[in-house]
Amino acid sequence: MVLSGVDKMIRLQKNTANIRNICVLAHVDHGKTTLADCLISSNGIISSRLAGKLRYMDSREDEQVRGITMKSSAISLHYAEGHEEYLINLIDSPGHVDFSSEVSTAVRICDGCIIVVDAVEGVCPQTQAVLRQAWLENIRPVLVINKIDRLIVELKFTPQEAYSHLKNILEQINALTGTLFTSKVLEERAERETESQAKPHSEQGEQVYDWSAGLEDVDDSQLYFSPEQGNVVFTSAIDGWGFGIEHFARIYSQKIGIKKEVLLKTLWGDYYINMKAKKIMKVDQAKGKKPLFVQLILENIWSLYDAVLKKDKEKIDKIVTSLGLKIGAREARHSDPKVQINAICSQWLPISHAVLAMVCHKLPSPLDMTSERVEKLLCTGSQTFESLPPETQALKAAFMKCGSEDTAPVIIFVSKMFAVDVKALPQNKPRPLTQEEMAQRRERARQRHAEKLAAAQGQTSQGPTQDGGALETSPHEDEPRGDEPDVASVSRQPVSQEESSQEAFIAFARVFSGIARRGKKIFVLGPKYSPVDFLQRVPLGFSAPLEDLPPVPHMACCTLENLYLLMGRELEDLEEVPPGNVLGIGGLQDFVLKSATLCSLPSCPPFIPLNFEATPIVRVAVEPKHPSEMPQLVKGMKLLNQADPCVQVLIQETGEHVLVTAGEVHLQRCLDDLRERFAKIHISVSEPIIPFRETITKPPKVDMVNEEIGRQQKVAVIHQTKEEQSKIPEGIHVDSDGLITIPTPNKLATLSVRAIPLPEEVTRILEENSDLIRSMELLTSSLNEGRNTQAIHQKTQEKIWEFKGKLEKHLTGRKWRNTVDQIWSFGPRKCGPNILVSRSEDFQNSVWSGPAGRESKEASRFRDFGNSIVSGFQLATLSGPMCEEPLMGVCFVLEKWELNKCAEQGASDKQHQGQCDLAGEGQGGGKTCHVGDENQEQQDVCSEPFEETSQKGDSPVIDCYGPFSGQLIATMKEACRYALQVKPQRLMAAMYTCDIMATSDVLGRVYAVLSKREGRVLQEEMKEGTDMFIIKAVLPVAESFGFADEIRKRTSGLASPQLVFSHWEVIPSDPFWVPTTEEEYLHFGEKADSENQARKYMNAVRKRKGLYVEEKIVEHAEKQRTLSKNK
Amino acid sequence: SIFTPTNQIRLTNVAVVRMKRGGKRFEIACYKNKVVGWRSGVEKDLDEVLQTHSVFVNVSKGQVAKKEDLISAFGTDDQTEICKQILTKGEVQVSDKERHTQLEQMFRDIATIVADKCVNPETKRPYTVILIERAMKDIHYSVKPNKSTKQQALEVIKQLKEKMKIERAHMRLRFILPVNEGKKLKEKLKPLMKVVESEDYSQQLEIVCLIDPGCFREIDELIKKETKGRGSLEVLSLKDVEEGDEKFE
């Protein structure tokens, strides 16, 4: 039975001064939801017997199963104290780290919060986090110390011990608040200092430096929790009792005859009572006097528990009668002491009263919003309030006033969107049928029955000859009939069968000012909207209808359709919502993604973005089990993205659908949601694909045991070189310094290529300027075509020269002389971090000026084939020899390029080659396959390239190896590959930079996890005013899967990492390394069994791609399982 | 001996490598799943490959080859040396695990090629290899070990098209045709082009269009024949795919 009906709530909503918007915050398992249960039961929504067991706010199935809250949900409660009636909008929030984004959404729309702390566990990591969040949002906290019963029952504390324990907890929390306060003061001070530095002349008179840091000047007495101030309550939610000091102060002031005010001050603290003198004195430790709190309060509770647990019937009765309670016969006889305690205590010290009274007295109403908070909400980023346009500044008054007149601007903040089954919406709820409707239905059913009979008769009379036809038509006839009841039901409840599976999105919002009415037109302002934008675009004082407004980015206009009162699992329809209330708004899913500000005036700025404690870091790739279900998955992921404030969803270039969540539990919930609500398909989850790059380095100076190379006897050197030789087929000449000379298959041309590693700086410059290189490429290609291109933009030209200058600066030394001028192309995709340099004497071509020496016939001959060479280079850079990943930071030098005489004729078939070249270049997108003859491939006649005789060839160049240009491409590609292979090859891994915030006591564990995953710490510094350390580290992306989770587990949530992709880094170990020197044998053994990180990565990639992996199928021949056949 | 189950010894963990030389058949006894490894150079320890260093005439009967035969056939009686020769040149029984890994490798390779060539026509984004592999298993594709993986990949694409939305990534081409033949030629090209992105009739007819890579050759030949070498064709991109990451918003 709902005691306080919707009508009453609506009435209460109008009295803004008596509204309290509060949320319950705490560490996981400290009893938020149980406390909420107790408060709900006071309203009669759930039975008080079930309070604490039902977890009413945990409406999701997995919440109930796991026993943790996963979302924030609101409920409106009614509380009466004397003549005053209060409306309390209570928001329950999750405590688990993964869902701290939900906490943020809850905190934003509240004015106050209840911080719950477990009396046994004390202050936990999340307690700190939520305190910080409340602090950052400028909302006032009150403290509930919960689970006092555990001190009695589990820890068997004496009242005295319990008191000192509680005192300890309180001190811890106050210390935390203190740090938050100091860090804020210090920050403000730092800000002020930078400001004053900016204008040093303004305050010249003030010469004395102020060392006090301003801490002493700021009043902080209001900040701390203390029972005598009434902002602390001691409870046991599971047993349904709780009390504040005030409660007992009132009782004892009557009993003992000491003034209530005095008792209020002395009940908590080291005071004792001298009964004879009726005087309260300071505790003298030596006399062993008990403090008042122990003597008057705790001991009573202890004795009650003692009596009940020992089943001391008489004593219980005595207590019950002395307290003047009435215990039901059922509870009194119940064998479980818990039930008895619950029954007694919930009457003696009702928890809801204690907590709600504190909430109503100590927490502010929406009217009391501080101007500080308003300004903070309105100023995004570094903006100051004063810099906002005057129209916006004017809104501040509206905020403060929270007025409900029609003239007041409507301001609503949507903090999150949540999905609700359409069936659960109030307008779709089935309502009992009236008599008339029942009669109608009966009639309809009768008719249907009659028709069916008639149809059946007709069918039989048609005879067997038309049986097939009849069968075919009958379903058609049936269909409309079958529809009839559906149509009828639609009119009753507007959910058709199809819709019933849908999710409706409801905005979780709060009205800050004005009255939200159904049907009101309102602006939806996205998080990136700027009122300045609007004011610039729209003339002041516009009077046009809203539809005619010019489009403004991040702004939309919509009508408020459905307003709901949030009642936990239920929703109640509302017509209008007065200011200061929490509400649900339906029908916004097309306008609002995750959060938004709704306002009737466009001059309102969007609220500052929610302040998330946890950023999404756990990445997984998601795929449908059945490939045909891709569209459902995409749709589902979009819905999920909207429904969850913290999740990130993206499609990568590789085609992977990646889900980024805040943690493992959060991930699990997202996947469950995706499977059961949003996509409704089977999905599989995997580690995302990790990219690598391939490169070469200078030959190492020292070997793996740090001995200089070249001194020792190489034990296996012969074996090694033999192997290397065998890798390179015949016909290819390899110089000792890595120059590869290779002829085309028809022996008409010979290429000499060398690979050189580029300096790191150059690679970085190339990476940064890839856009510029691309535009350069476009330019030259249009020049080549001889088309009249528009004059090169002055700026671009400048940039190109600057870029060239930078390259020249870094490519110095004998080896690189003139290299920059000789750069022919960049690769892969013509804009990558690899360079092709042409040092061929009779052919010059450079990216800077376009082909030089156009006129000479000789050069034109080369030029025609130049494109093939470039294509070959592009292909080679796109997929390296190690694991077909792109190259990075390699310079290929084409040293010599000889064309035999008959190749000259090839030029006659210029037209044809042109195509092939281009086809080859285009292959930039393609990968491993031999490009050579795209044409053949196109025909789907897949034969080995270069072997099929081309049909169209009337030119002698097209011989049995295919067109000459194709051969050139392939030869160039091979040449590049071999040139790479003779150099020391290395793998490059993508690296994350990782910022970790950790307290000093878990620092060691953070380091352990980092080093286990090949991470490297760059720096570590302490955050001013706190005991938090900020650690900066780099970590290979390949090792990051599960990293965040591990670090959290190892540090019990005290350290939270943030990963951002930063750069590529060469893995120092050689993937092909085997021990060669004696020392290495000694150190690593013959097989080098110890882990070679680069090889591990390389093999993993090769395996994934289905390439050949040098791995033994069976390691030990003798250890195979012997399976006999035919037995 | 009497052929009863009790005194019948089965060679259960033996892979035989045979070679005919000088009219005689020689066999050696090897461990299973090791011979292919030896041939590819992964396994370097001969003792891990050979069960025994002796050369047989018939392994299952245990008949060792005679010295004279060895000398006449191989010119030496160094058993180990002969074993090595037989190992590299003889015919091998491919063992189950070896075959399995080979097939698996080909399967992966095919899937990689398919994933590389194809896109989801709705989003113009590639499918991942894992997804293609799963789809291939769904259509019960069996790998043929003696056909090239590329060829099989094209077959797979055809079969997959019936099950899911997959298409070969389109090629983007630009034709530059002389005006007088252009009109006529365009009509002929029309059925081959999937999407015409732009047409420009200034001095010459210039068309940018997307085609299925399968008809490239046809188009190429058509243009060459019709314009007698005056029209030209340019591949703008081989794969028309979306680039960069996309965030849902």
Side-chain angles (χ1 to χ4, degrees):
Chain A
M1 266 310 291
V2 181
L3 289 181
S4 33
V6 181
D7 300 333
K8 193 169 188 182
M9 292 294 180
I10 292 171
R11 188 164 50 76
L12 283 172
Q13 280 190 340
K14 292 195 175 117
N15 188 0
T16 316
N18 281 358
I19 298 174
R20 299 287 182 271
N21 295 315
I22 54 160
C23 51
V24 191
L25 307 174
H27 188 75
V28 66
D29 265 349
H30 279 194
K32 293 170 295 297
T33 311
T34 315
L35 179 65
D37 254 8
C38 293
L39 303 185
I40 293 166
S41 74
S42 75
N43 263 264
I45 294 168
I46 59 171
S47 139
S48 58
R49 276 199 204 104
L50 282 175
K53 299 172 193 87
L54 189 62
R55 282 180 282 126
Y56 183 74
M57 301 301 268
D58 289 353
S59 52
R60 292 169 54 98
E61 197 193 333
D62 46 356
E63 285 181 321
Q64 288 286 348
V65 171
R66 276 184 179 248
I68 59 170
T69 313
M70 295 185 179
K71 55 165 191 349
S72 50
S73 44
I75 192 162
S76 294
L77 299 176
H78 158 250
Y79 172 70
E81 196 185 59
H83 299 295
E84 290 287 320
E85 281 189 301
Y86 291 95
L87 176 72
I88 291 164
N89 293 317
L90 179 78
I91 301 173
D92 185 26
S93 71
H96 197 276
V97 206
D98 287 8
F99 304 107
S100 58
S101 62
E102 294 278 347
V103 177
S104 316
T105 61
V107 167
R108 170 58 62 83
I109 57 179
C110 291
D111 301 307
C113 62
I114 303 176
I115 307 251
V116 181
V117 178
D118 188 322
V120 176
E121 291 174 20
V123 177
C124 287
Q126 275 305 295
T127 317
Q128 299 179 14
V130 293
L131 255 175
R132 194 158 48 231
Q133 269 187 335
W135 181 266
L136 287 174
E137 285 282 348
N138 273 334
I139 68 173
R140 198 176 298 164
V142 289
L143 186 68
V144 168
I145 299 185
N146 196 14
K147 304 199 185 179
I148 304 278
D149 59 310
R150 286 183 70 192
L151 296 179
I152 311 171
V153 181
E154 273 177 39
L155 300 183
K156 308 241 186 301
F157 276 175
T158 62
Q160 180 72 47
E161 284 166 341
Y163 168 68
S164 53
H165 186 80
L166 290 175
K167 222 166 73 176
N168 238 333
I169 290 174
L170 210 60
E171 269 163 20
Q172 280 177 27
I173 291 184
N174 282 333
L176 261 180
T177 328
T179 32
L180 284 172
F181 179 70
T182 26
S183 70
K184 186 191 158 201
V185 170
L186 286 178
E187 240 168 62
E188 271 174 6
R189 186 185 156 74
E191 253 169 52
R192 235 178 303 140
E193 256 167 36
T194 46
E195 260 171 46
S196 63
Q197 269 167 11
K199 38 177 184 178
H201 302 292
S202 59
E203 294 169 43
Q204 268 184 345
E206 197 182 324
Q207 291 290 328
V208 185
Y209 193 77
D210 180 16
W211 289 101
S212 65
L215 266 179
E216 291 80 358
D217 310 341
V218 190
D219 177 40
D220 56 355
S221 60
Q222 283 296 309
L223 229 61
Y224 298 114
F225 299 105
S226 80
E228 63 256 31
Q229 280 191 28
N231 56 7
V232 180
V233 159
F234 304 90
T235 66
S236 164
I238 197 83
D239 288 342
W241 57 265
F243 61 88
I245 293 283
E246 203 221 343
H247 180 88
F248 280 98
R250 206 171 43 232
I251 295 173
Y252 284 112
S253 67
Q254 290 164 3
K255 265 194 181 167
I256 313 172
I258 296 177
K259 268 194 210 148
K260 190 181 161 195
E261 286 73 30
V262 179
L263 271 175
L264 262 180
K265 282 208 182 103
T266 53
L267 256 177
W268 178 262
D270 293 336
Y271 300 99
Y272 78 96
I273 187 162
N274 189 335
M275 273 306 197
K276 280 179 204 154
K278 298 239 167 181
K279 252 185 165 174
I280 291 171
M281 332 259 271
K282 228 23 188 154
V283 162
D284 193 350
Q285 291 293 341
K287 281 180 188 160
K289 293 278 186 196
K290 292 171 192 159
L292 274 178
F293 189 74
V294 176
Q295 194 183 1
L296 297 183
I297 304 174
L298 291 185
E299 281 189 342
N300 288 326
I301 297 173
W302 255 248
S303 66
L304 171 64
Y305 265 82
D306 191 53
V308 175
L309 288 178
K310 281 186 183 150
K311 307 214 167 140
D312 191 342
K313 200 91 187 141
E314 282 171 34
K315 202 172 171 195
I316 296 173
D317 286 340
K318 215 173 115 195
I319 294 173
V320 168
T321 44
S322 75
L323 290 172
L325 307 173
K326 277 190 195 118
I327 303 299
R330 205 176 127 212
E331 276 86 11
R333 261 186 279 118
H334 208 287
S335 59
D336 188 359
K338 276 270 168 197
V339 178
Q340 286 190 25
I341 288 180
N342 200 329
I344 299 168
C345 293
S346 57
Q347 282 189 46
W348 177 32
L349 303 164
I351 181 171
S352 58
H353 177 79
V355 174
L356 292 179
M358 172 172 72
V359 164
C360 292
H361 294 149
K362 293 295 165 191
L363 293 181
S365 80
L367 288 175
D368 305 331
M369 208 183 333
T370 57
S371 69
E372 198 184 346
R373 185 171 178 214
V374 175
E375 282 181 20
K376 209 167 163 193
L377 281 178
L378 293 181
C379 307
T380 12
S382 54
Q383 268 182 324
T384 54
F385 186 71
E386 284 73 29
S387 69
L388 291 170
E391 288 88 343
T392 311
Q393 292 197 28
L395 281 176
K396 186 180 165 187
F399 266 104
M400 305 288 292
K401 199 171 158 218
C402 203
S404 56
E405 310 85 43
D406 283 338
T407 49
V410 181
I411 302 168
I412 301 171
F413 181 73
V414 177
S415 74
K416 70 165 183 173
M417 301 291 282
F418 63 97
V420 176
D421 202 335
V422 167
K423 273 188 279 188
L425 293 182
Q427 65 259 42
N428 298 334
K429 260 186 225 153
R431 59 183 167 79
L433 295 173
T434 56
Q435 277 294 326
E436 272 173 56
E437 278 174 327
M438 297 254 242
Q440 270 179 6
R441 277 183 143 191
R442 210 175 296 133
E443 188 58 32
R444 221 177 287 129
R446 212 171 283 143
Q447 268 178 16
R448 207 158 48 225
H449 186 66
E451 270 173 47
K452 215 177 238 166
L453 276 179
Q457 274 172 2
Q459 225 167 335
T460 45
S461 65
Q462 269 169 353
T465 44
Q466 284 184 329
D467 223 335
L471 275 178
E472 227 171 77
T473 50
S474 60
H476 289 290
E477 282 171 6
D478 268 354
E479 250 170 44
R481 252 183 276 135
D483 267 358
E484 265 177 19
D486 267 358
V487 173
S489 69
V490 164
S491 65
R492 250 188 353 266
Q493 61 187 80
V495 196
S496 71
Q497 203 64 288
E498 189 189 329
E499 258 181 316
S500 66
S501 61
Q502 274 182 356
E503 302 287 334
F505 276 96
I506 292 185
F508 191 67
R510 169 180 166 178
V511 186
F512 278 87
S513 157
I515 298 179
R517 272 209 185 84
R518 185 177 283 205
K520 188 168 176 75
K521 280 238 184 294
I522 203 154
F523 293 103
V524 180
L525 314 173
K528 286 179 193 147
Y529 168 79
S530 151
V532 184
D533 250 9
F534 181 87
L535 295 173
Q536 277 168 357
R537 277 168 210 243
V538 183
L540 215 67
F542 65 96
S543 54
L546 293 178
E547 285 76 18
D548 298 345
L549 279 177
V552 177
H554 309 296
M555 191 186 85
C557 185
C558 78
T559 317
L560 290 179
E561 274 166 21
N562 296 314
L563 305 175
Y564 303 108
L565 177 68
L566 300 171
M567 290 297 285
R569 306 175 188 195
E570 316 276 321
L571 296 166
E572 301 288 349
D573 253 328
L574 288 179
E575 272 306 313
E576 56 172 40
V577 182
N581 279 295
V582 174
L583 79 164
I585 308 171
L588 282 180
Q589 61 259 46
D590 300 332
F591 303 100
V592 180
L593 178 69
K594 287 182 177 185
S595 71
T597 311
L598 312 182
C599 184
S600 58
L601 295 176
S603 58
C604 178
F607 284 25
I608 52 166
L610 292 169
N611 168 0
F612 290 139
E613 282 282 308
T615 40
I617 30 171
V618 175
R619 292 169 78 94
V620 288
V622 188
E623 267 171 7
K625 272 262 158 63
H626 302 291
S628 53
E629 291 172 333
M630 205 58 147
Q632 283 104 299
L633 177 73
V634 173
K635 202 181 120 223
M637 287 178 90
K638 276 184 183 152
L639 290 177
L640 176 70
N641 188 35
Q642 195 166 28
D644 195 303
C646 193
V647 81
Q648 268 180 30
V649 174
L650 50 108
I651 306 180
Q652 285 192 320
E653 199 169 334
T654 51
E656 282 178 301
H657 291 70
V658 173
L659 200 66
V660 197
T661 60
E664 224 72 351
V665 184
H666 185 211
L667 172 69
Q668 214 53 50
R669 199 203 75 185
C670 287
L671 292 176
D672 282 348
D673 270 356
L674 210 51
R675 282 195 191 110
E676 276 147 33
R677 298 178 76 177
F678 300 131
K680 291 191 175 126
I681 53 170
H682 290 288
I683 49 177
S684 60
V685 184
S686 57
E687 213 173 307
I689 293 172
I690 293 143
F692 284 97
R693 293 283 182 273
E694 297 181 18
T695 191
I696 50 173
T697 55
K698 289 186 191 115
K701 294 254 163 51
V702 289
D703 63 14
M704 292 294 281
V705 280
N706 271 339
E707 297 278 342
E708 210 171 311
I709 280 178
R711 290 273 177 84
Q712 303 93 13
Q713 187 128 38
K714 288 210 170 175
V715 180
V717 79
I718 306 145
H719 181 66
Q720 186 112 2
T721 44
K722 214 172 93 192
E723 214 181 18
E724 249 170 44
Q725 283 292 329
S726 65
K727 264 190 200 164
I728 292 174
E730 287 169 37
I732 296 169
H733 182 257
V734 184
D735 265 3
S736 55
D737 62 339
L739 182 72
I740 299 282
T741 311
I742 181 171
T744 55
N746 60 4
K747 309 275 187 284
L748 287 183
T750 313
L751 302 172
S752 299
V753 178
R754 182 201 309 277
I756 312 173
L758 281 173
E760 226 169 90
E761 264 306 290
V762 177
T763 318
R764 201 180 51 79
I765 293 171
L766 289 175
E767 282 262 277
E768 279 167 7
N769 289 299
S770 64
D771 283 340
L772 185 66
I773 299 173
R774 191 174 294 157
S775 57
M776 262 165 67
E777 192 56 46
L778 283 178
L779 216 73
T780 34
S781 73
S782 61
L783 268 179
N784 277 346
E785 274 166 35
R787 268 187 291 164
N788 188 21
T789 43
Q790 57 278 55
I792 305 166
H793 201 277
Q794 190 65 32
K795 237 180 188 168
T796 342
Q797 190 64 33
E798 269 171 31
K799 265 192 199 154
I800 290 173
W801 289 123
E802 190 191 329
F803 168 55
K804 195 183 170 190
K806 262 194 219 159
L807 283 183
E808 267 164 357
K809 206 173 90 196
H810 289 286
L811 287 176
T812 47
R814 197 175 53 82
K815 201 168 61 175
W816 298 107
R817 195 182 302 144
N818 292 336
T819 306
V820 176
D821 287 323
Q822 289 166 339
I823 292 176
W824 189 359
S825 181
F826 301 94
R829 286 162 221 244
K830 302 207 163 178
C831 56
N834 302 289
I835 296 178
L836 176 64
V837 171
S838 161
R839 288 209 180 128
S840 163
E841 271 160 25
D842 38 23
F843 175 68
Q844 292 293 327
N845 197 348
S846 142
V847 278
W848 310 112
S849 55
R854 261 165 185 277
E855 284 71 35
S856 82
K857 185 158 185 301
E858 184 76 358
S860 87
R861 184 160 68 87
F862 278 99
R863 201 185 59 236
D864 291 331
F865 296 119
N867 276 336
S868 311
I869 299 284
V870 173
S871 313
F873 160 74
Q874 299 291 351
L875 281 177
T877 49
L878 191 73
S879 55
M882 271 191 288
C883 47
E884 307 291 344
E885 292 281 309
L887 299 183
M888 188 169 181
V890 182
C891 172
F892 289 103
V893 182
L894 184 65
E895 296 276 2
K896 247 192 303 181
W897 180 15
E898 285 162 3
L899 274 184
N900 289 0
K901 280 287 165 269
C902 38
E904 210 169 331
Q905 292 161 320
S908 64
D909 195 28
K910 182 183 161 198
Q911 162 65 30
H912 173 70
Q913 280 138 21
Q915 289 158 21
C916 284
D917 298 350
L918 287 160
E921 280 163 37
Q923 187 71 319
K927 234 173 43 193
T928 59
C929 46
H930 294 269
V931 154
D933 226 348
E934 188 60 70
N935 302 4
Q936 288 173 6
E937 195 194 317
Q938 307 319 336
Q939 281 253 326
D940 294 1
V941 184
C942 257
S943 59
E944 281 298 299
F946 315 123
E947 276 185 58
E948 188 189 296
T949 319
S950 182
Q951 308 288 312
K952 50 194 158 161
D954 46 357
S955 151
V957 185
I958 297 167
D959 47 23
C960 64
Y961 297 110
F964 183 57
S965 58
Q967 289 182 39
L968 261 183
I969 295 174
T971 313
M972 181 64 189
K973 186 187 163 201
E974 290 302 293
C976 291
R977 281 202 146 199
Y978 289 128
L980 277 179
Q981 275 170 332
V982 295
K983 295 277 176 174
Q985 299 178 72
R986 290 292 182 274
L987 219 53
M988 288 179 103
M991 301 298 266
Y992 278 133
T993 49
C994 167
D995 287 320
I996 307 172
M997 289 255 280
T999 51
S1000 53
D1001 41 338
V1002 294
L1003 222 50
R1005 299 212 195 113
V1006 171
Y1007 275 59
V1009 176
L1010 270 175
S1011 62
K1012 188 180 144 201
R1013 291 180 175 260
E1014 319 273 347
R1016 220 172 51 237
V1017 176
L1018 299 182
Q1019 66 175 54
E1020 167 197 309
E1021 63 184 32
M1022 199 165 172
K1023 204 176 169 195
E1024 212 178 326
T1026 62
D1027 64 340
M1028 297 293 266
F1029 279 84
I1030 301 172
I1031 303 160
K1032 231 191 171 86
V1034 285
L1035 180 85
V1037 175
E1039 303 286 339
S1040 68
F1041 191 70
F1043 168 73
D1045 207 48
E1046 188 180 346
I1047 211 163
R1048 249 190 229 155
K1049 270 185 197 151
R1050 290 289 304 272
T1051 62
S1052 41
L1054 282 170
S1056 51
Q1058 267 189 52
L1059 300 170
V1060 185
F1061 172 77
S1062 73
H1063 66 289
W1064 295 94
E1065 199 170 282
V1066 177
I1067 302 172
S1069 54
D1070 180 0
F1072 298 111
W1073 180 82
V1074 279
T1076 48
T1077 63
E1078 250 175 81
E1079 276 85 1
E1080 281 177 342
Y1081 269 131
L1082 217 62
H1083 199 271
F1084 295 101
E1086 204 171 328
K1087 281 183 180 168
D1089 308 313
S1090 55
E1091 203 78 331
N1092 179 341
Q1093 206 196 355
R1095 173 146 60 207
K1096 203 176 74 191
Y1097 291 151
M1098 186 182 79
N1099 282 347
V1101 175
R1102 290 190 73 101
K1103 241 184 219 160
R1104 195 189 74 214
K1105 290 187 175 173
L1107 301 167
Y1108 173 71
V1109 183
E1110 265 207 5
E1111 253 181 4
K1112 292 172 193 171
I1113 300 164
V1114 174
E1115 187 63 34
H1116 302 288
E1118 283 284 10
K1119 285 185 186 167
Q1120 294 186 68
R1121 202 175 146 212
T1122 313
L1123 282 175
S1124 53
K1125 282 171 194 162
N1126 309 330
K1127 259 195 192 172
Chain B
S1 63
I2 312 158
F3 208 71
T4 55
T6 43
N7 53 14
Q8 169 193 3
I9 301 160
R10 283 179 184 273
L11 297 172
T12 49
N13 199 14
V14 177
V16 182
V17 182
R18 298 191 178 87
M19 189 162 82
K20 248 185 176 173
R21 176 69 72 91
K24 289 245 162 53
R25 201 172 70 155
F26 298 99
E27 296 183 348
I28 49 169
C30 304
Y31 288 108
K32 276 194 170 166
N33 301 320
K34 277 296 195 184
V35 184
V36 174
W38 171 265
R39 285 203 169 171
S40 61
V42 178
E43 180 59 67
K44 291 174 187 100
D45 187 357
L46 190 61
D47 290 332
E48 281 281 297
V49 183
L50 288 183
Q51 301 247 7
T52 164
H53 285 244
S54 48
V55 181
F56 296 84
V57 172
N58 188 332
V59 170
S60 58
K61 285 183 181 161
Q63 294 168 338
V64 184
K66 283 176 192 135
K67 211 172 183 183
E68 307 89 70
D69 288 344
L70 287 180
I71 291 179
S72 68
F74 294 97
T76 172
D77 65 339
D78 181 353
Q79 301 250 357
T80 311
E81 213 34 61
I82 295 166
C83 280
K84 277 188 188 163
Q85 275 192 39
I86 297 176
L87 262 181
T88 41
K89 289 182 190 146
E91 3 168 335
V92 200
Q93 300 170 340
V94 179
S95 313
D96 53 345
K97 273 190 191 146
E98 289 168 337
R99 183 173 292 114
H100 183 246
T101 39
Q102 191 201 350
L103 285 180
E104 200 177 30
Q105 231 169 48
M106 283 185 88
F107 191 82
R108 286 258 169 81
D109 200 11
I110 294 171
T112 315
I113 295 174
V114 172
D116 195 49
K117 283 185 188 300
C118 293
V119 291
N120 179 351
E122 283 175 358
T123 55
K124 293 263 184 244
R125 283 188 178 273
Y127 283 107
T128 55
V129 180
I130 307 161
L131 197 77
I132 298 287
E133 271 181 25
R134 202 176 297 132
M136 278 166 70
K137 275 181 192 140
D138 277 356
I139 59 166
H140 305 293
Y141 187 81
S142 62
V143 179
K144 286 141 201 118
N146 43 10
K147 242 173 149 187
S148 87
T149 46
K150 203 150 119 196
Q151 212 169 344
Q152 293 188 56
L154 293 168
E155 243 167 68
V156 167
I157 295 174
K158 251 180 235 158
Q159 290 180 28
L160 283 182
K161 268 183 191 162
E162 292 159 18
K163 284 287 240 183
M164 56 192 274
K165 284 183 182 121
I166 190 168
E167 223 171 69
R168 285 197 64 175
H170 288 157
M171 279 173 109
R172 183 173 286 125
L173 297 181
R174 177 158 66 202
F175 311 124
I176 298 173
L177 308 168
V179 177
N180 40 358
E181 282 134 355
K183 277 239 170 83
K184 202 173 62 192
L185 198 56
K186 204 186 125 197
E187 288 308 308
K188 286 190 183 172
L189 287 173
K190 215 163 214 171
L192 298 173
M193 296 189 285
K194 291 266 173 181
V195 183
V196 178
E197 287 191 333
S198 78
E199 275 184 64
D200 184 15
Y201 284 99
S202 45
Q203 298 137 1
Q204 288 179 315
L205 175 58
E206 196 184 314
I207 304 174
V208 177
C209 68
L210 298 178
I211 61 153
D212 190 87
C215 358
F216 177 78
R217 189 170 194 158
E218 213 174 321
I219 290 174
D220 180 34
E221 276 175 9
L222 194 69
I223 289 178
K224 195 163 292 154
K225 210 165 66 195
E226 294 285 324
T227 63
K228 298 180 191 70
R230 275 179 297 147
S232 72
L233 178 159
E234 192 182 338
V235 182
L236 295 178
S237 74
L238 209 76
K239 277 199 332 184
D240 180 39
V241 285
E242 290 284 321
E243 277 179 18
D245 295 356
E246 181 195 337
K247 229 181 197 175
F248 284 145
E249 285 209 18

